[in-house]
Amino acid sequence: MVNKFTTFYRHIVEQERKFPEATGQLSDLLADIALACKVISLEVNRAGLIDILGFTGEENVQGEQVKKLDVFANDVLTHVMKQGGHICAVCSEEEVSFIPIEDKFSENKFVTNKYICHFDPLDGSSNIDVNVSIGTIFSVYKRITKSGPGALEDCLQVGTEQVAAGYVIYGSSTVLVYTNGEGVHGFTLDPSVGEFLLSNEYIKIPKKAKTFSVNEGNFCKWSPGMKKYISYLKEIDSVTSRPYSSRYIGSLVADFHRNLLYGGIFMYPADSKNSSGKLRLMYEANPLSYIVEQAGGRSSDGVKRILEIEPKGLHQRTPLFIGSEEDVLMLEKYLAEERKEVSVK
Ligand code: P6P
């Protein structure tokens, strides 16, 4: 039975006690992220009332039309991170490069801006105007450089180096899910008290799914192995619970959250148009992969574990297959067969 009045901050402080060397900075940093997401949640839920919908007319680094809420979410997160003093750099989908941040307490003998953060400030933002759930994704690393503002090497770290990761989904309720390496935990925002209250502790993803999530509009652009796998899922075989149900919202955080709780495999493969897929390694694939592995699931680019991909750029894309372990393994088998057939030819 979950204790109803465990706030997010109380939970992270209790988690912190498991690490004797902890200084409390990561707890404060995570609390700052939660604060920023409460503010974003207010705005997202109010967007229908205020004329905040629609386009700013500008484009972001992805060449996508930027919605005002994207800009707002990015600004709130960046501002709160700068104020908090715990990080040396912010990286965001909305920013071309990383934002270095001075050590606010530089007169101290010890370094206080110990961390760096990657954010997708408002993922799925193309769904804002049609009231589909959207979300904020975050990923936290310890800095590599010794002091002062952060550098690119602090920002381009392999996913296994994450110290915390999470997302906030703005849907019928606002839910925060995070891991700091000690399991995956979910909190629901109670707007009446303005607190994220523990609602789901030590979340585990079912080992085998009955649902697959993929944009089948791209079917003709997929590789033969990918096509074969999707066709396999659609065959009728009660022993292996096929055909699977197809569930695709087109909002990564919403699709991922459903699969995390109910089981499922989410796929955004490479295709003939996007040779590296569409989704971003640093602020989409890595944080969700850390979470899914902590929940007992699996995540790969079809060949390699996502968390072991050495990043080359802040906005690097990767194919993403993530969710229930047995299903991701099955998908990887189909793609391995394909590679074998290609190599024999
Ligand atoms: P497609 C939303 O734009 C997003 O970045 C993710 O949230 C989502 O999973 C994906 O793109 C949907 O892409 O090509 O299926 O519309």
Side-chain angles (χ1 to χ4, degrees), residues 64 93 120 122-127 137 214-216 218 248-255 266-268 274 278-279 284:
E64 295 161 345
E93 181 188 29
D120 187 348
L122 208 56
D123 178 79
S125 52
S126 52
N127 296 298
I137 310 173
V214 71
N215 182 346
E216 289 200 70
N218 297 324
Y248 191 72
I249 301 168
S251 182
L252 175 59
V253 177
D255 279 314
F266 174 92
M267 295 163 274
Y268 211 108
N274 300 302
K278 172 180 184 181
L279 301 176
E284 290 172 331

Side-chain angles (χ1 to χ4, degrees), residues 99-162:
I99 301 171
I101 297 176
E102 287 292 344
D103 190 343
K104 262 182 83 169
F105 308 103
S106 52
E107 68 282 2
N108 287 358
K109 291 181 185 47
F110 53 93
V111 171
T112 52
N113 58 346
K114 283 170 50 178
Y115 298 100
I116 84 105
C117 286
H118 288 267
F119 291 109
D120 187 348
L122 208 56
D123 178 79
S125 52
S126 52
N127 296 298
I128 292 173
D129 288 355
V130 290
N131 208 24
V132 166
S133 298
I134 52 182
T136 297
I137 310 173
F138 61 89
S139 170
V140 184
Y141 295 79
K142 273 201 176 140
R143 71 181 298 166
I144 294 174
T145 54
K146 291 289 169 260
S147 60
L152 188 58
E153 70 176 296
D154 295 310
C155 306
L156 286 182
Q157 297 186 51
V158 69
T160 47
E161 291 304 304
Q162 292 175 93

Side-chain angles (χ1 to χ4, degrees), residues 178-189:
Y178 95 108
T179 185
N180 66 346
E182 293 289 316
V184 177
H185 312 289
F187 301 79
T188 303
L189 181 63

